């Protein structure tokens, strides 16, 4: 007995699957299942994370508010340096940590360029696991992707930049759920918009608390285990 499952796939291959799993982003809700026998499961509970928030370190308490900037493993659009330049006017009382992804081209050079811009700019280089960074961040500025799901599950309010229109559409679901703010497609976002959004959230602890609660209560990081259990139950039923 074989059961075919597909995860977060919008192609026609999904129509031949027995089960299909998606986070509740607009693209998933718009899929047409006419004529298919596929059981489509759409909801935050089916979201996959790269990390397990239940093994996260204790939340760090810092005297200085910390902003985490994470633009993905390879940062193909050079958003890390763009963000750093946009954040130069931000109050030096803030601690700003820039994740330099392991797949970033000229990573060492970009890291050095960022660190040289301002004394409170710090870089995180060669990290495979960002759990410690998530645990000590008060706010994040990130390229929309798996990082957005992980930040929400760790209760970190976030500001999202989409690498493409598709990413911006997905980010809108996170904004609607109260977990963060989407600035839209990165190519159309001005430096002043990034700075204004960060300033506004950094100075609004009540709103950050609401976003933290929304993230923690929406994403529990158990998507993979839930999918496995769902498929195991379906197999048992088939037998």
């Amino acid at each position: 007995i074989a059961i075919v499952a597909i995860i977060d796939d919008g192609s026609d291959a999904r129509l031949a699957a027995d089960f299909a799993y998606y986070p509740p982003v607009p693209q998933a809700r718009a899929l047409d299942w006419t004529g298919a026998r596929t059981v489509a499961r759409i909801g935050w509970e089916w979201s996959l994370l790269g990390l397990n928030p239940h093994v996260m370190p204790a939340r760090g308490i810092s005297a200085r508010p910390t902003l985490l900037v994470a633009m993905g493993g390879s940062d193909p659009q050079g958003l890390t340096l763009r963000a750093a330049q946009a954040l130069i006017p931000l109050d030096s009382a803030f601690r700003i940590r820039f994740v330099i992804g392991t797949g970033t081209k000229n990573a060492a050079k970009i890291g050095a360029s960022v660190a040289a811009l301002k004394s409170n700019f710090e870089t995180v280089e060669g990290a495979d696991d960002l759990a410690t960074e998530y645990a000590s961040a008060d706010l994040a500025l990130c390229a929309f992707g798996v990082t957005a799901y992980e930040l929400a599950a760790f209760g970190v309010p976030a500001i999202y930049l989409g690498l493409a229109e598709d990413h911006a559409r997905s980010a809108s679901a996170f904004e609607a759920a109260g977990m963060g703010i989407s600035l839209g497609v990165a190519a159309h976002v001005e430096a002043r918009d990034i700075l204004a959004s960060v300033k506004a959230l950094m100075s609004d602890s009540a709103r950050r608390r609401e976003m933290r609660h929304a993230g923690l209560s929406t994403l529990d990081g158990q998507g993979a285990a839930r999918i496995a259990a769902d498929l195991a139950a379906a197999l048992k039923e088939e037998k």
Side-chain angles (χ1 to χ4, degrees), residues 82-94:
R82 264 189 65 193
Q85 290 162 341
L87 295 170
I88 289 172
L90 199 64
D91 192 327
S92 294
F94 296 128

PDB file of all heavy atoms in Angstrom, residues 82-94:
ATOM      1  N   ARG A  82      22.050  46.379   2.117  1.00  0.00           N
ATOM      2  CA  ARG A  82      21.018  47.414   1.930  1.00  0.00           C
ATOM      3  C   ARG A  82      20.377  47.774   3.255  1.00  0.00           C
ATOM      4  O   ARG A  82      20.165  48.951   3.573  1.00  0.00           O
ATOM      5  CB  ARG A  82      19.932  46.907   0.966  1.00  0.00           C
ATOM      6  CG  ARG A  82      20.112  47.322  -0.474  1.00  0.00           C
ATOM      7  CD  ARG A  82      18.869  46.962  -1.299  1.00  0.00           C
ATOM      8  NE  ARG A  82      17.700  47.703  -0.893  1.00  0.00           N
ATOM      9  CZ  ARG A  82      16.448  47.419  -1.262  1.00  0.00           C
ATOM     10  NH1 ARG A  82      16.217  46.384  -2.050  1.00  0.00           N
ATOM     11  NH2 ARG A  82      15.439  48.151  -0.856  1.00  0.00           N
ATOM     12  N   ALA A  83      20.058  46.749   4.047  1.00  0.00           N
ATOM     13  CA  ALA A  83      19.427  46.979   5.345  1.00  0.00           C
ATOM     14  C   ALA A  83      20.377  47.711   6.281  1.00  0.00           C
ATOM     15  O   ALA A  83      19.976  48.635   6.995  1.00  0.00           O
ATOM     16  CB  ALA A  83      19.003  45.642   5.963  1.00  0.00           C
ATOM     17  N   ALA A  84      21.644  47.307   6.270  1.00  0.00           N
ATOM     18  CA  ALA A  84      22.640  47.943   7.137  1.00  0.00           C
ATOM     19  C   ALA A  84      22.744  49.438   6.841  1.00  0.00           C
ATOM     20  O   ALA A  84      22.770  50.275   7.748  1.00  0.00           O
ATOM     21  CB  ALA A  84      23.991  47.262   6.967  1.00  0.00           C
ATOM     22  N   GLN A  85      22.791  49.773   5.559  1.00  0.00           N
ATOM     23  CA  GLN A  85      22.887  51.185   5.174  1.00  0.00           C
ATOM     24  C   GLN A  85      21.633  51.960   5.570  1.00  0.00           C
ATOM     25  O   GLN A  85      21.709  53.104   6.005  1.00  0.00           O
ATOM     26  CB  GLN A  85      23.153  51.285   3.670  1.00  0.00           C
ATOM     27  CG  GLN A  85      24.563  50.822   3.313  1.00  0.00           C
ATOM     28  CD  GLN A  85      24.743  50.482   1.839  1.00  0.00           C
ATOM     29  OE1 GLN A  85      23.771  50.243   1.122  1.00  0.00           O
ATOM     30  NE2 GLN A  85      25.993  50.446   1.386  1.00  0.00           N
ATOM     31  N   ALA A  86      20.475  51.303   5.455  1.00  0.00           N
ATOM     32  CA  ALA A  86      19.218  51.952   5.830  1.00  0.00           C
ATOM     33  C   ALA A  86      19.134  52.204   7.330  1.00  0.00           C
ATOM     34  O   ALA A  86      18.506  53.169   7.780  1.00  0.00           O
ATOM     35  CB  ALA A  86      18.038  51.085   5.382  1.00  0.00           C
ATOM     36  N   LEU A  87      19.786  51.329   8.129  1.00  0.00           N
ATOM     37  CA  LEU A  87      19.663  51.399   9.589  1.00  0.00           C
ATOM     38  C   LEU A  87      20.737  52.252  10.267  1.00  0.00           C
ATOM     39  O   LEU A  87      20.737  52.372  11.497  1.00  0.00           O
ATOM     40  CB  LEU A  87      19.681  49.976  10.163  1.00  0.00           C
ATOM     41  CG  LEU A  87      18.485  49.096   9.761  1.00  0.00           C
ATOM     42  CD1 LEU A  87      18.721  47.652  10.172  1.00  0.00           C
ATOM     43  CD2 LEU A  87      17.182  49.614  10.350  1.00  0.00           C
ATOM     44  N   ILE A  88      21.609  52.841   9.495  1.00  0.00           N
ATOM     45  CA  ILE A  88      22.671  53.673  10.088  1.00  0.00           C
ATOM     46  C   ILE A  88      22.109  54.753  11.024  1.00  0.00           C
ATOM     47  O   ILE A  88      22.647  54.975  12.118  1.00  0.00           O
ATOM     48  CB  ILE A  88      23.571  54.296   8.989  1.00  0.00           C
ATOM     49  CG1 ILE A  88      24.440  53.207   8.345  1.00  0.00           C
ATOM     50  CG2 ILE A  88      24.471  55.393   9.562  1.00  0.00           C
ATOM     51  CD1 ILE A  88      25.229  53.668   7.121  1.00  0.00           C
ATOM     52  N   PRO A  89      21.008  55.438  10.660  1.00  0.00           N
ATOM     53  CA  PRO A  89      20.493  56.499  11.553  1.00  0.00           C
ATOM     54  C   PRO A  89      19.829  55.983  12.831  1.00  0.00           C
ATOM     55  O   PRO A  89      19.502  56.780  13.713  1.00  0.00           O
ATOM     56  CB  PRO A  89      19.450  57.227  10.680  1.00  0.00           C
ATOM     57  CG  PRO A  89      19.729  56.814   9.281  1.00  0.00           C
ATOM     58  CD  PRO A  89      20.253  55.418   9.391  1.00  0.00           C
ATOM     59  N   LEU A  90      19.611  54.674  12.950  1.00  0.00           N
ATOM     60  CA  LEU A  90      18.926  54.132  14.126  1.00  0.00           C
ATOM     61  C   LEU A  90      19.754  54.389  15.388  1.00  0.00           C
ATOM     62  O   LEU A  90      20.977  54.335  15.362  1.00  0.00           O
ATOM     63  CB  LEU A  90      18.701  52.626  13.945  1.00  0.00           C
ATOM     64  CG  LEU A  90      17.644  51.966  14.826  1.00  0.00           C
ATOM     65  CD1 LEU A  90      16.258  52.520  14.537  1.00  0.00           C
ATOM     66  CD2 LEU A  90      17.643  50.459  14.618  1.00  0.00           C
ATOM     67  N   ASP A  91      19.068  54.662  16.480  1.00  0.00           N
ATOM     68  CA  ASP A  91      19.708  54.948  17.765  1.00  0.00           C
ATOM     69  C   ASP A  91      20.768  53.894  18.098  1.00  0.00           C
ATOM     70  O   ASP A  91      20.513  52.690  18.036  1.00  0.00           O
ATOM     71  CB  ASP A  91      18.621  54.940  18.849  1.00  0.00           C
ATOM     72  CG  ASP A  91      19.107  55.509  20.180  1.00  0.00           C
ATOM     73  OD1 ASP A  91      20.300  55.328  20.500  1.00  0.00           O
ATOM     74  OD2 ASP A  91      18.296  56.111  20.887  1.00  0.00           O
ATOM     75  N   SER A  92      21.952  54.353  18.486  1.00  0.00           N
ATOM     76  CA  SER A  92      23.063  53.443  18.804  1.00  0.00           C
ATOM     77  C   SER A  92      22.815  52.625  20.068  1.00  0.00           C
ATOM     78  O   SER A  92      23.585  51.721  20.384  1.00  0.00           O
ATOM     79  CB  SER A  92      24.372  54.226  18.949  1.00  0.00           C
ATOM     80  OG  SER A  92      24.739  54.774  17.703  1.00  0.00           O
ATOM     81  N   ALA A  93      21.746  52.944  20.797  1.00  0.00           N
ATOM     82  CA  ALA A  93      21.421  52.160  21.995  1.00  0.00           C
ATOM     83  C   ALA A  93      20.954  50.761  21.593  1.00  0.00           C
ATOM     84  O   ALA A  93      21.011  49.820  22.385  1.00  0.00           O
ATOM     85  CB  ALA A  93      20.322  52.857  22.789  1.00  0.00           C
ATOM     86  N   PHE A  94      20.503  50.625  20.331  1.00  0.00           N
ATOM     87  CA  PHE A  94      20.059  49.319  19.862  1.00  0.00           C
ATOM     88  C   PHE A  94      21.244  48.458  19.460  1.00  0.00           C
ATOM     89  O   PHE A  94      22.215  48.943  18.891  1.00  0.00           O
ATOM     90  CB  PHE A  94      19.126  49.460  18.647  1.00  0.00           C
ATOM     91  CG  PHE A  94      17.840  50.174  18.944  1.00  0.00           C
ATOM     92  CD1 PHE A  94      17.433  51.252  18.180  1.00  0.00           C
ATOM     93  CD2 PHE A  94      17.036  49.769  19.999  1.00  0.00           C
ATOM     94  CE1 PHE A  94      16.242  51.918  18.451  1.00  0.00           C
ATOM     95  CE2 PHE A  94      15.847  50.433  20.281  1.00  0.00           C
ATOM     96  CZ  PHE A  94      15.449  51.501  19.511  1.00  0.00           C
TER      97      PHE A  94
END
